[in-house]
Amino acid sequence: KGLVRAAAIVATVTATFTAAQAQDITLRGASQFDENHAFTKTMERFAELTNEYYDGEVAFDLRLNGELGMEADYVTFLQQGVAIDYTIMAPSNMATFAPSIPLMDMPFLFRDQAHWEAVLSSDVLKPLEEELLEKADIMIVGYTGGGVRNVISNKPISNLEELAGFKMRVMGAPIQAQIFSALTAAPSAISYSEVYNAIQTGVIDGFENEAASIQNLKFYEVAPYLTLTKHAITVRPIVVSGKSFRNMPEDLQAAVMKAGEEAGAFGRELESREDGEKLQEMVDAGQLTLQEFAERDQLLEMVVPVQDDYAAELGATELLTAIRAK
Ligand code: X1X
């Protein structure tokens, strides 16, 4: 009789524990931007969709405005499984842990938007996802992005002669500096949080970025000239810490994967659509002056050998060929 009673207590306790556990799941995310940025909206959509597909309640605690640091901090947090569970970030900010990841993010990788979309809606990037999971314990659950990166500066730049020696900030992955060095600029890797000040104090003359972020962080205040180099269409993975993912019940894991893929498609449509609109808003507000780059085709020719060498060094020549062939 005693044993039956003990088993009943254990059953009750287990059921209560499971219910409490399900209610208690909180996933914390981080954004460098405010509520108007496409990354923030995409992470909000990811939260909504996860709750839609999961037969339980998950609380999402998304911290904005760089409250938890910048992307370079987030990658360490995710890898260690501390502070945050999910975010959106540039592959070039994950280079320390997985050197091949910036390949999906390198300038001049995509011919046009159709090529970019074909790559992101295929599974051609799978080998890079596997490497990221293996080396950094970070999972890619979807792909957003879609902003076009251009050069933005404190003085007009409209041709190769003016680009020569241009002191510019690039993201931390070595391939970023290699590409811009090949274009004869003078790149240096500076933390994103330092860029505004570095331009203001004359340490650099500018950098390269997409409209959503230029507008959100008001970079036009210190760099009001934008040159349409159109050198990258952004690829921005929605990432989840492997440690957080393994702690989730299986049905939540499935919901997160499905939500990640769909939120990614939502974010790609949103940022691609808003990119031109945001540039125009900044022009109309007198914040930015746009100019064409006279020798854009030549830029492409100058960087292809650098891309090829980088892929060869990583043993990723086949992968680069497959991406180009999409
Ligand atoms: O250049 C950067 O470091 C940043 O640029 C934009 O804000 C985003 O693309 C972001 O992901 C980050 O990489």
Side-chain angles (χ1 to χ4, degrees), residues 33 39 71 90 93 149 169 171 192 209-210 213 236:
F33 308 102
F39 288 12
E71 285 181 20
N93 284 326
R149 282 174 82 103
R169 175 267 181 181
M171 290 189 280
Y192 198 51
N209 227 230
E210 62 269 29
S213 304
R236 294 294 176 265

Side-chain angles (χ1 to χ4, degrees), residues 32-33 37 39 71 88-93 105 149 169-171 190-192 207-210 212-214 217 219 234 236 271:
Q32 303 183 128
F33 308 102
H37 194 281
F39 288 12
E71 285 181 20
I88 291 172
M89 73 162 76
S92 283
N93 284 326
D105 191 24
R149 282 174 82 103
R169 175 267 181 181
V170 288
M171 290 189 280
I190 295 179
S191 159
Y192 198 51
F207 70 124
E208 46 88 48
N209 227 230
E210 62 269 29
S213 304
I214 294 170
L217 297 179
F219 284 118
T234 60
R236 294 294 176 265
E271 192 170 349

Side-chain angles (χ1 to χ4, degrees), residues 25 35 91 102:
I25 297 174
E35 65 285 358

